[in-house]
Amino acid sequence: QCIFRVKRNKTSYLIQCDPTETTLNIKQQLHSLIEQPPSNQRLILLSTNDVLDDSKTLANQKVENDAIVALTLRKGFRLC
Amino acid sequence: MMGKGEAPAPREPEEEEEDTGGVVKLISAEGFEFVVDKKAAMVSNTLRNMLTSPGGFSETRQGEVRFPEISTHVLEKICQYFYWSLHYSRLHPDSLATCLCSIASLACLCASLQFTTCMID
């Protein structure tokens, strides 16, 4: 069980997840919060500046408890 | 805290179900927003009252609470504490005191001491 923060502009989303979940799972979880499909989202782990890979699990990409992840969106799409 | 986390659920239908999908937005003095699980926010009795009281208050309806007196750093810590409490207080009741200590020392640094401590009670 881990909790990390997804940040964009002035908003933080606290996301609860299991380290065995994939990045895509997280994007789907975010989809319900921000109305942007996973294909428009890009997540970047702030501690290493690595872009998270959809198919890999969080554990494999060293997203740990209390990590901070930045959310960027495809150009031309904005949060409602 | 107390184990009545599931208790309010059956009473929900009488209030209009907001479309926030079980999350609430907490907004700090500087206007930074924290989107947290409603379950986590309910750890705080203060927030529970704000979010569940009948009478169509905007906090209950929109699931959005503004804290003009809590700075972003403190509010972020509080949000983390909510989740921490949700998961660990039942498993390790002893360690709760340790966590409260670290929160208290943080709270000492901020001017909103009173409100902060009442949020985490």
Side-chain angles (χ1 to χ4, degrees):
Chain A
Q1 181 72 42
C2 79
I3 294 142
F4 63 92
R5 284 163 279 166
V6 175
K7 299 200 173 195
R8 177 180 166 80
N9 294 343
K10 293 183 98 175
T11 309
S12 302
Y13 304 89
L14 279 86
I15 306 285
Q16 277 187 85
C17 62
D18 196 89
T20 56
E21 284 183 74
T22 62
T23 306
L24 191 60
N25 289 143
I26 302 305
K27 289 185 176 178
Q28 276 155 355
Q29 213 173 318
L30 279 168
H31 179 34
S32 62
L33 296 173
I34 60 171
E35 293 167 0
Q36 289 288 343
S39 55
N40 284 347
Q41 303 173 19
R42 188 165 62 174
L43 296 174
I44 302 165
L45 183 62
L46 277 196
S47 55
T48 58
N49 288 341
D50 286 337
V51 175
L52 300 185
D53 201 323
D54 274 1
S55 54
K56 291 187 188 161
T57 67
L58 295 175
N60 281 345
Q61 301 175 96
K62 301 203 169 62
V63 178
E64 287 154 348
N65 200 19
D66 265 349
I68 300 177
V69 172
L71 167 68
T72 60
L73 297 176
R74 199 175 287 281
K75 213 173 170 188
F77 293 90
R78 286 206 316 201
L79 289 185
C80 312
Chain B
M1 311 283 120
M2 74 248 118
K4 54 179 183 181
E6 280 81 37
R11 273 185 258 136
E12 289 287 31
E14 66 192 28
E15 291 158 21
E16 52 183 308
E17 196 62 40
E18 71 280 346
D19 52 280
T20 52
V23 296
V24 293
K25 197 185 268 185
L26 310 180
I27 305 171
S28 75
E30 293 86 3
F32 283 82
E33 301 168 345
F34 293 92
V35 180
V36 302
D37 221 322
K38 204 166 183 177
K39 252 187 290 174
M42 295 288 197
V43 164
S44 158
N45 287 326
T46 309
L47 276 173
R48 172 190 290 274
N49 291 339
M50 282 175 162
L51 294 169
T52 56
S53 50
F57 289 107
S58 64
E59 280 86 355
T60 314
R61 246 187 7 258
Q62 303 169 349
E64 204 176 280
V65 188
R66 284 180 182 277
F67 297 104
E69 301 190 338
I70 298 188
S71 70
T72 307
H73 286 116
V74 176
L75 191 59
E76 185 164 35
K77 277 283 173 235
I78 292 172
C79 292
Q80 289 179 282
Y81 166 75
F82 287 160
Y83 280 91
W84 185 92
S85 171
L86 209 56
H87 291 287
Y88 296 104
S89 60
R90 283 179 215 145
L91 301 175
H92 310 287
D94 304 340
S95 55
L96 184 61
T98 326
C99 175
L100 285 178
C101 263
S102 76
I103 296 223
S105 58
L106 176 81
C108 288
L109 297 173
C110 76
S112 50
L113 175 63
Q114 281 185 332
F115 201 85
T116 311
T117 44
C118 101
M119 291 254 312
I120 62 175
D121 72 349

